[in-house]
Amino acid sequence: MPAILSHYINIPDGQLHYRELRPLKVAEDQLPVILLHRTPACSSSFEKVMQIAGEHLHMIAFDTPGFGNSFVPDKASPETTDYANWFLSALSMLNIDRFHLAAHHSGTHFATEMAVLAPQKVASLLLSGVIYEPDAAKRKKMRADIGDAPVIDNAGRYITDSFTLMKALCPAYDAHLVHTETLGAITHLKGRNQAFDAIYNQDFPAVFSKVTCPVMIAQASDDPLTLNGMLETIKKDHPQVKTRITGAAFLAAPEKQPGDFCRALFELTHTTGHTMNYTKYLYQRQDDSFTLSAVESPLPSPGPGEVLIKISAVSLNRRDASIRDLSYPVQADEFVPFSDAAGVVVETGSDITQWKAGDRVTSSFFQQWSGGRLNLTAMFSALGAGANGVLAQYALLSEEGVVATPARWSDEQAACTPCAATTAWRALVTLGNIQEGDTVLVIGTGGVATFAVQIAAAKGAVPIVISSSDEKLAQVKQLGAAHGINYKSTPEWSEEVRKITNGAGVNHVVELGGAGTMAQSVASLAIDGHLAVIGALDGFGGTIDVQPLIFGALKASAVMVGSRADHEAVLNFMSEQGVLPLIDSQFDITDIEAAFTKMNTGAFGKIVIRL
């Protein structure tokens, strides 16, 4: 890999610093890519992107005037057109007459001005994080909410205040990133204020409407400008613009998701790494649902922190069907669905040490939740709900987002565990602290429910299951359930639960029903019992009466699947106990519609799709 070199160039208003990487060989028709960074970072924020894409693309990353090693503008309040002209001037002096532009947050506003001022020079525009607000008064308020750079004081509070702010902007705390952001904030005080004044004074929607080159907007799933609805507004106003949701990175997509950033760039510039194609399956939004289509695509290469997995089996969750019929909200219009897969590592990023080609692995539901508390970035790293999932011949996953497949398990068995088994484990063990001899009420006989029965029985607890099918109640007893209640013939099933437990109630309820079962689930709990709220098969909503919680010392937990640590723990436990996932049925990918039909008619255990 060629080195990233540091250069300076003098333009009439001052000296610009830039980083450059030239690949050893570039196609004659391949245009260079110009990178513009966010505030208060500098061009170093693109180093990982340059290391990945630099094998294929000539890349130049400028330090914006006021940041890094570039000049500080003399003009008190430069406009976005000033920044655009500074960059265009530098490119002219470098004899670069046509180029692609890729920009992040603040840089997107300067890049868009460049595309309007010099349409003959800008071949394409990749934007990540734009302030799309046509109302000048609202932009003024947003600028006021951000505030000016802190005043340098004798006590050095401006340093600690800047660090506190930057840490707050990094939900998944990254010490190196926060340190870099803080240094940028405290060493470029004037530049920060100038840049923010410029971008908040700009009427971005009006400028954007004049862009004529191809545009893609690629934003992290947890980017504030994705979450606050601006991306949806852009899509509504400009349906011709391609949008892409990338992995969770909050405000630092080039550093935290360099692979996704590069893949968006490759797609826009028609650059490929591998010459091999593979098949992926896309959910594509229609008026009343997502359609599922097979698409041929160039095989991607893993970036830093990523592993490329050849998928052999995936399992279907209720969530996948709910996303398809639009009852589970997602922001993206097109993405690879599904979260649960197993296969083998075929290639790793250059910095990977814990995995190697040939390792059998299983995806974890959240790609950025290794353990501990769930945070915003971890929540938005879930596979298959806007950000890409695993219904494909190959999938790129985080090195922290896979676990080792148990040695004696098939890929079909392992693929059943990322969502359902991990959820059941977190409900009963991580949050519920299940003990030998406890009683456990499980609502239903689907994937999470059957895992809950198996885990509870293996822990020495007493599972009780409710279902509308006597046949399934007989089957679930084969898994270790001690009692079964048919809620059709026994509509007041909480009373039957009390009878079974000699009036005491159960220690745990694995609540998968939702609005229709919540009240009876609470009524079934013993003193100090735990209600694990997981699903909504009978509809979202319902209420929980606080009084029995207080006087019964009850605990209620909303279970959001679980961390990688939870996933590893349940796999280890099941392997040690000789407990295998229960597979209801298996389908080939060519018969995937039959798998959805089976899901809708009610499965006993998990549904697996073979790729």
Side-chain angles (χ1 to χ4, degrees):
M1 164 68 71
I4 298 174
L5 302 178
S6 180
H7 303 288
Y8 292 89
I9 187 166
N10 290 311
I11 62 173
D13 285 38
Q15 190 177 67
L16 275 178
H17 173 258
Y18 63 96
R19 288 170 166 81
E20 182 177 25
L21 192 151
R22 289 179 178 267
L24 298 176
K25 186 177 181 180
V26 183
E28 290 184 5
D29 60 347
Q30 182 64 64
L31 300 176
V33 175
I34 311 304
L35 301 167
L36 303 181
H37 62 81
R38 70 181 180 278
T39 302
C42 69
S43 59
S44 65
S45 63
F46 284 114
E47 284 186 348
K48 287 185 178 180
V49 170
M50 297 176 81
Q51 288 166 0
I52 300 170
E55 291 188 18
H56 312 285
L57 296 170
H58 175 200
M59 310 191 80
I60 292 176
F62 281 109
D63 282 352
T64 297
F67 297 93
N69 295 313
S70 287
F71 72 93
V72 178
D74 290 330
K75 191 174 182 179
S77 299
E79 299 176 354
T80 50
T81 50
D82 293 317
Y83 289 92
N85 280 316
W86 289 326
F87 294 128
L88 289 170
S89 177
L91 290 168
S92 292
M93 296 182 71
L94 291 170
N95 296 315
I96 297 176
D97 296 323
R98 190 161 170 77
F99 48 85
H100 300 286
L101 267 174
H104 185 227
H105 279 270
S106 304
T108 64
H109 297 264
F110 310 142
T112 304
E113 291 283 11
M114 292 170 69
V116 172
L117 291 172
Q120 75 284 0
K121 293 188 175 185
V122 180
S124 69
L125 192 59
L126 174 64
L127 305 177
S128 177
V130 291
I131 301 169
Y132 192 87
E133 177 50 71
D135 190 308
K138 289 182 180 179
R139 293 199 306 274
K140 184 177 181 180
K141 182 181 183 305
M142 292 167 68
R143 174 67 182 96
D145 289 342
I146 289 176
D148 289 332
V151 176
I152 298 176
D153 63 327
N154 292 336
R157 285 188 298 270
Y158 75 101
I159 298 176
T160 56
D161 288 348
S162 295
F163 177 85
T164 300
L165 174 61
M166 296 305 160
K167 186 177 180 181
L169 295 176
C170 191
Y173 181 66
D174 182 320
H176 178 76
L177 180 61
V178 171
H179 171 77
T180 302
E181 295 280 312
T182 302
L183 285 180
I186 66 177
T187 56
H188 303 296
L189 304 177
K190 182 179 178 181
R192 176 181 180 272
N193 289 341
Q194 289 174 320
F196 278 150
D197 285 345
I199 64 177
Y200 282 100
N201 285 332
Q202 180 195 43
D203 184 352
F204 181 85
V207 177
F208 188 63
S209 66
K210 300 175 185 177
V211 173
T212 56
C213 68
V215 180
M216 176 187 290
I217 297 178
Q219 290 186 186
S221 56
D222 60 341
D223 189 303
L225 299 180
T226 303
L227 301 178
N228 69 7
M230 286 189 180
L231 183 59
E232 287 298 310
T233 304
I234 295 172
K235 288 159 60 176
K236 179 181 177 182
D237 291 351
H238 301 276
Q240 79 283 2
V241 171
K242 188 173 181 62
T243 59
R244 177 173 177 156
I245 300 295
T246 66
F250 207 63
L251 295 172
E255 296 100 322
K256 304 295 286 185
Q257 291 290 344
D260 268 354
F261 196 94
C262 286
R263 286 184 285 276
L265 187 58
F266 290 161
E267 183 177 342
L268 196 60
T269 60
H270 307 291
T271 304
T272 60
H274 284 286
T275 57
M276 174 182 170
N277 282 356
Y278 77 111
T279 302
K280 61 183 180 182
Y281 299 84
L282 296 179
Y283 270 179
Q284 296 170 316
R285 189 184 294 271
Q286 305 299 320
D287 291 337
D288 57 354
S289 66
F290 279 101
T291 59
L292 185 65
S293 304
V295 175
E296 290 293 308
S297 183
L299 186 65
S301 296
E306 295 177 330
V307 290
L308 181 65
I309 313 299
K310 184 177 183 181
I311 303 297
S312 62
V314 299
S315 73
L316 179 62
N317 291 303
R318 173 61 59 181
R319 168 177 175 262
D320 304 314
S322 298
I323 290 172
R324 192 181 191 189
D325 66 19
L326 303 185
S327 59
Y328 187 109
V330 296
Q331 296 224 14
D333 293 327
E334 181 179 285
F335 60 96
V336 177
F338 289 32
S339 58
D340 296 15
V344 62
V345 175
V346 294
E347 190 177 352
T348 66
S350 58
D351 60 340
I352 303 298
T353 58
Q354 63 177 315
W355 305 110
K356 64 182 185 302
D359 287 343
R360 295 181 63 228
V361 294
T362 303
S363 63
S364 277
F365 187 87
F366 292 104
Q367 291 295 283
Q368 295 186 39
W369 188 15
S370 295
R373 291 187 181 275
L374 177 65
N375 59 43
L376 186 65
T377 295
M379 182 180 294
F380 280 92
S381 71
L383 292 169
N388 278 340
V390 294
L391 190 61
Q393 290 178 325
Y394 293 84
L396 277 170
L397 301 176
S398 164
E399 65 172 324
E400 296 296 329
V402 294
V403 299
T405 297
R408 297 183 181 179
W409 285 21
S410 68
D411 285 346
E412 288 80 4
Q413 291 168 327
C416 296
T417 64
C419 181
T422 306
T423 298
W425 180 267
R426 187 166 181 83
L428 290 173
V429 183
T430 308
L431 299 174
N433 191 29
I434 190 172
Q435 303 293 312
E436 184 176 357
D438 282 357
T439 46
V440 179
L441 176 63
V442 179
I443 311 298
T445 56
V448 176
T450 52
F451 275 117
V453 171
Q454 290 176 296
I455 292 167
K459 283 282 186 180
V462 180
I464 303 168
V465 178
I466 71 165
S467 170
S468 62
S469 167
D470 287 333
E471 179 183 357
K472 289 181 179 178
L473 289 174
Q475 290 176 304
V476 83
K477 289 182 180 179
Q478 301 297 315
L479 297 179
H483 304 277
I485 303 171
N486 188 314
Y487 64 81
K488 292 288 188 182
S489 57
T490 310
E492 298 301 321
W493 44 266
S494 59
E495 295 180 5
E496 184 65 21
V497 171
R498 289 282 177 181
K499 290 179 184 178
I500 292 171
T501 56
N502 296 317
V506 294
N507 305 108
H508 309 264
V509 174
V510 179
E511 171 51 65
L512 292 152
T517 56
M518 191 73 70
Q520 290 208 64
S521 289
V522 173
S524 300
L525 281 167
I527 292 173
D528 198 33
H530 177 233
L531 177 71
V533 183
I534 298 169
L537 297 177
D538 198 35
F540 289 101
T543 58
I544 299 177
D545 189 351
V546 175
Q547 188 176 40
L549 265 67
I550 294 172
F551 289 100
L554 306 180
K555 301 176 289 292
S557 304
V559 184
M560 183 68 79
V561 191
S563 66
R564 176 189 175 184
D566 292 317
H567 192 184
E568 288 179 321
V570 70
L571 289 180
N572 290 337
F573 175 77
M574 293 180 69
S575 296
E576 291 168 0
Q577 297 295 319
V579 177
L580 295 174
L582 177 66
I583 297 176
D584 175 281
S585 49
Q586 300 187 43
F587 300 87
D588 291 331
I589 186 65
T590 54
D591 203 19
I592 192 171
E593 291 303 327
F596 277 104
T597 299
K598 181 64 177 178
M599 166 68 73
N600 292 330
T601 57
F604 183 71
K606 293 290 293 180
I607 298 170
V608 172
I609 299 165
R610 296 182 294 259
L611 281 93

